[in-house]
């Protein structure tokens, strides 16, 4: 009851009595939000599914009234186990609008769109829609919010979207992002009393100190990062759970594998956009809160919005370090890098041009915090280099610990060597990375076999870092030796 916006509840439910209005609202929204939670739990790996369901307990999920801007987790009152997760619908709505609008402005695959597709028209539509949001939020106890971009895209362009890429997916992704974020806090133990908290964090103490990140913010970052992975898993598993793979070696199996890769790529894109759009939505809500004189709420939301670059860095590391190995180099391409730059350009465009125009139209002064949001897109000078050095030291210590405890040939030791070799290359030591991968390939062949996927991947990485170190001739020789083995193994698949 403490979070109810009764004017909105009366409008949306038609109930004059606040108690009945709240009860009806909870019942109506529980169905949709609970569906999102059940989908998340179903997306866990089978080995983790039982633990996930145990973790959730008797969780109930509902949408908070429209005035709420932050999702909340409560412990169930009474003798019930589990939690209450209240999802703020407002950032979900705005995040879905932004994600769909960005997709229209910078389509992932422009060659699949009609010749008369006008990105400029959709940029104007997105700007106008967000301006409508800002205007409606300037007044407390606002009525229904606009859904212009999503509605327009669904009505006018649905035939142009391959299944699994349509605008409605962004609604689901935004809702999943909000639910999964709160579930991540439960999973990491952030909601437990201080003496029993698990304390899951994204950055180590040394890296957090270098970045000036508090323990509380580190917990939020950990939840954000875990949320992206959960969001990706859900979007991908929604296809996997409804598709039966054909037998190996058949033409249908090759088609299935190709479709799997397309779905994986689309799922990463949608999860990335849900994350980026969600933080941009928090930026908008923070600036609106500032205009309404809610300074504490504004500070909290704007600080959350500024975390986007750190979360984006984690997402990029996940895609390049894990998904690219599992699903292929297409998961991380130059084209994709350019696409992300284009999306960030919209965010800066919105902060620098659209919001000031809205406040000018309303006769209001532009908040001084806008330049801070734009500046937050970049790391302080020297930060990346310092983090890379810290990361190498930590990985070297980890490798030494694992080797001493498990021996040189344990799979976990190979994993640690692989991670260390990759980070050396990323830190600028391409020759060192190439040498490390050459030895890894030999050891993997001895322990796992010449045709094992890790052996082949290490040989490929050896060639990649040879090329980056300037030894193109040797890189070509390694790839020429690798190609027939790859061809033979993939034909079996």
């Amino acid at each position: 009851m403490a979070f109810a916006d009764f004017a909105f509840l009366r409008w949306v439910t038609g109930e004059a009595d606040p108690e009945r209005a709240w009860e009806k609202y909870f019942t109506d929204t529980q169905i949709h939000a609970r569906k999102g939670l059940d989908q998340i739990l179903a997306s866990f790996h089978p080995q983790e599914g039982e633990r996930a369901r145990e973790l959730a307990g008797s969780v109930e999920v509902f949408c908070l009234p429209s005035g709420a801007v932050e999702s909340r987790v409560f412990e169930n009152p009474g003798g019930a186990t589990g939690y209450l997760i209240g999802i703020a619908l407002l950032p979900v709505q705005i995040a879905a609008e932004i994600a769909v609008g960005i997709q229209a402005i910078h389509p992932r695959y422009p060659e699949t769109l009609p010749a008369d597709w006008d990105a400029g028209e959709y940029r104007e539509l997105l700007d106008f829609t967000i301006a409508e949001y800002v205007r409606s939020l300037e007044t407390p106890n606002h009525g229904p919010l606009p859904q212009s971009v999503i509605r327009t895209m669904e009505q006018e362009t649905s035939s142009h979207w391959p299944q699994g890429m349509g605008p409605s997916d962004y609604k689901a992704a935004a809702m999943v992002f909000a639910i999964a974020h709160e579930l991540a806090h439960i999973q990491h133990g952030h909601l437990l009393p201080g003496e029993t908290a698990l304390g899951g964090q994204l950055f180590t103490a040394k890296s957090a100190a270098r970045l000036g990140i508090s323990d509380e913010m580190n917990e939020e970052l950990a939840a954000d990062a875990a949320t992206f992975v959960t969001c990706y898993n859900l979007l991908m598993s929604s296809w996997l759970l409804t598709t039966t793979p054909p037998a190996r070696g058949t033409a249908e199996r090759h088609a299935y594998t190709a479709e799997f890769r397309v779905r994986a790529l689309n799922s990463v894109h949608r999860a990335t956009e849900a994350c980026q759009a969600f933080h941009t939505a928090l930026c908008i809500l923070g600036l609106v809160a500032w205009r309404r004189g809610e300074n504490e709420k504004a500070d909290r939301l704007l600080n959350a919005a500024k975390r986007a670059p750190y979360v984006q860095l984690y997402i990029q590391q996940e895609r390049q370090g894990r998904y690219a190995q599992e699903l292929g180099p297409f998961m991380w391409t130059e084209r994709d890098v350019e696409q992300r730059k284009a999306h960030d350009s919209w965010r800066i465009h919105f902060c620098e041009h659209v919001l000031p125009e809205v406040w000018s139209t309303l006769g209001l002064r532009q908040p001084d915090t806008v330049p801070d949001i734009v500046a937050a897109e970049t790391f302080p000078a020297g930060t990346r280099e310092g983090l890379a050095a810290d990361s190498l030291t930590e990985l070297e210590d980890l490798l030494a610990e694992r080797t001493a405890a498990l021996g040189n040939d344990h799979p976990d030791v190979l994993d640690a060597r692989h991670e260390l070799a990759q980070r050396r290359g990323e830190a600028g030591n391409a020759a060192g990375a190439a040498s490390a991968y050459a030895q890894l390939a030999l050891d993997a062949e001895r322990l796992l076999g010449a045709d094992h996927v890790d052996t082949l991947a290490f040989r490929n990485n050896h060639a990649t870092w040879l090329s980056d170190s300037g030894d193109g001739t040797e890189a070509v020789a390694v790839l020429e030796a690798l190609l027939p083995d790859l061809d033979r193994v993939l034909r079996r698949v």
Side-chain angles (χ1 to χ4, degrees):
M1 295 295 293
F3 307 107
D5 175 347
F6 292 123
F8 175 79
L9 288 180
R10 283 194 294 269
W11 173 82
V12 78
T13 63
E15 293 282 354
D17 180 81
E19 296 277 353
R20 288 198 301 270
W22 175 250
E23 183 179 351
K24 187 175 189 303
Y25 182 80
F26 180 93
T27 302
D28 291 344
T29 62
Q30 163 81 357
I31 298 172
H32 305 291
R34 179 71 212 191
K35 181 181 178 182
L37 178 62
D38 288 341
Q39 287 177 317
I40 291 174
L41 296 177
S43 73
F44 279 83
H45 189 279
Q47 293 179 350
E48 301 172 348
E50 184 176 351
R51 167 62 181 148
R53 286 186 290 273
E54 177 187 347
L55 170 73
S58 57
V59 167
E60 291 185 283
V61 188
F62 63 100
C63 295
L64 292 167
S66 64
V69 295
E70 294 169 286
S71 302
R72 300 178 178 89
V73 177
F74 320 93
E75 287 193 39
N76 268 338
T81 59
Y83 301 87
L84 290 168
I85 301 181
I87 302 303
L89 195 57
L90 191 58
V92 170
Q93 289 177 325
I94 299 180
E97 293 274 5
I98 293 171
V100 173
I102 291 177
Q103 178 74 29
I105 295 167
H106 304 291
R108 288 287 179 184
Y109 303 104
E111 62 271 16
T112 66
L113 298 173
D116 59 352
W117 187 269
D118 186 356
E121 175 185 345
Y122 284 97
R123 181 168 196 151
E124 291 180 4
L125 175 60
L126 178 60
D127 289 350
F128 177 73
T129 302
I130 301 301
E132 282 187 298
Y133 268 107
V134 173
R135 290 188 176 95
S136 67
L137 291 169
E138 282 290 329
T139 305
N141 300 327
H142 53 80
L145 295 171
Q147 292 284 303
S148 308
V149 173
I150 294 179
R151 184 169 59 251
T152 300
M153 298 290 283
E154 289 176 339
Q155 291 173 350
E156 298 183 7
T157 67
S158 58
S159 61
H160 304 311
W161 294 87
Q163 187 173 354
M165 289 183 60
S168 61
D169 294 324
Y170 290 110
K171 286 184 182 178
M175 177 66 82
V176 166
F177 192 97
I179 296 176
H181 181 90
E182 302 310 318
L183 196 61
H185 277 302
I186 298 173
Q187 187 174 18
H188 291 167
H190 297 160
L191 304 176
L192 299 175
E195 62 273 12
T196 58
L198 302 179
Q201 296 180 322
L202 182 62
F203 290 102
T204 63
K206 182 185 291 186
S207 298
R210 183 184 291 277
L211 292 166
I213 295 175
S214 66
D215 289 343
E216 181 180 4
M217 185 180 292
N218 210 353
E219 290 181 356
E220 288 294 328
L221 284 166
D224 282 352
T227 299
F228 164 76
V229 176
T230 302
C231 201
Y232 166 82
N233 288 342
L234 170 63
L235 293 167
M236 188 65 214
S237 64
S238 63
W239 177 74
L240 286 173
L241 294 174
T242 57
T243 308
T244 303
R248 291 180 177 272
T250 63
E252 291 78 9
R253 178 73 177 201
H254 290 293
Y256 172 87
T257 302
E259 177 70 5
F260 172 84
R261 293 195 168 201
V262 171
R263 297 284 178 165
L265 183 59
N266 292 344
S267 296
V268 168
H269 287 163
R270 288 203 304 278
T272 302
E273 305 226 324
C275 174
Q276 181 71 26
F278 204 84
H279 284 85
T280 304
L282 294 180
C283 162
I284 295 168
L285 292 168
L287 295 176
V288 170
W290 183 90
R291 277 298 320 148
R292 291 169 60 169
E294 300 170 346
N295 294 332
E296 184 178 348
K297 181 188 292 183
D299 288 343
R300 197 161 57 246
L301 291 169
L302 290 171
N303 282 331
K306 292 177 183 179
R307 293 199 301 266
Y310 300 107
V311 176
Q312 186 62 34
L313 175 64
Y314 175 87
I315 291 173
Q316 291 171 353
Q317 289 175 339
E318 280 287 295
R319 293 176 64 182
Q320 188 174 23
R322 183 152 70 96
Y323 295 124
Q325 295 175 39
E326 296 177 359
L327 301 171
F330 66 89
M331 296 291 289
W332 187 251
T333 65
E334 289 299 321
R335 181 183 184 186
D336 191 53
V337 172
E338 292 302 315
Q339 195 68 40
R340 294 308 311 160
K341 290 179 180 178
H343 288 205
D344 287 341
S345 75
W346 175 85
R347 192 167 190 254
I348 294 174
H349 158 81
F350 176 80
C351 291
E352 288 186 331
H353 302 291
V354 180
L355 276 180
E357 182 180 342
V358 171
W359 272 295
S360 176
T361 302
L362 296 173
L364 302 170
R365 181 177 64 84
Q366 175 183 333
D368 296 332
T369 47
V370 171
D372 295 335
I373 299 298
V374 177
E377 294 296 338
T378 57
F379 284 95
T383 300
R384 291 184 187 276
E385 293 76 7
L387 286 174
D390 292 343
S391 177
L392 281 175
T393 301
E394 291 160 8
L395 286 172
E396 287 168 350
D397 292 343
L398 175 64
L399 176 59
E401 291 175 6
R402 287 188 179 179
T403 303
L406 304 172
N408 292 322
D409 294 344
H410 193 277
D412 289 349
V413 173
L414 289 182
D415 287 344
R417 290 171 60 191
H418 157 57
E419 183 70 16
L420 180 58
Q422 185 69 20
R423 293 291 178 86
R424 278 179 178 156
E426 292 171 355
N429 186 4
S435 176
Y437 273 119
Q439 187 58 51
L440 263 173
L442 292 174
D443 291 341
E445 182 174 358
R446 173 174 56 85
L447 298 169
L448 306 173
D451 293 349
H452 192 277
V453 62
D454 287 350
T455 304
L456 299 173
F458 293 154
R459 291 170 64 187
N460 181 76
N461 291 350
H462 177 208
T464 298
W465 289 113
L466 279 172
S467 176
D468 286 359
S469 70
D471 194 351
T473 302
E474 183 61 23
V476 169
V478 173
L479 289 174
E480 285 179 336
L482 174 63
L483 184 57
D485 293 336
L486 277 176
D487 181 65
R488 172 174 49 79
V489 171
L490 291 175
R491 285 182 185 278
R492 287 207 308 262
V493 177

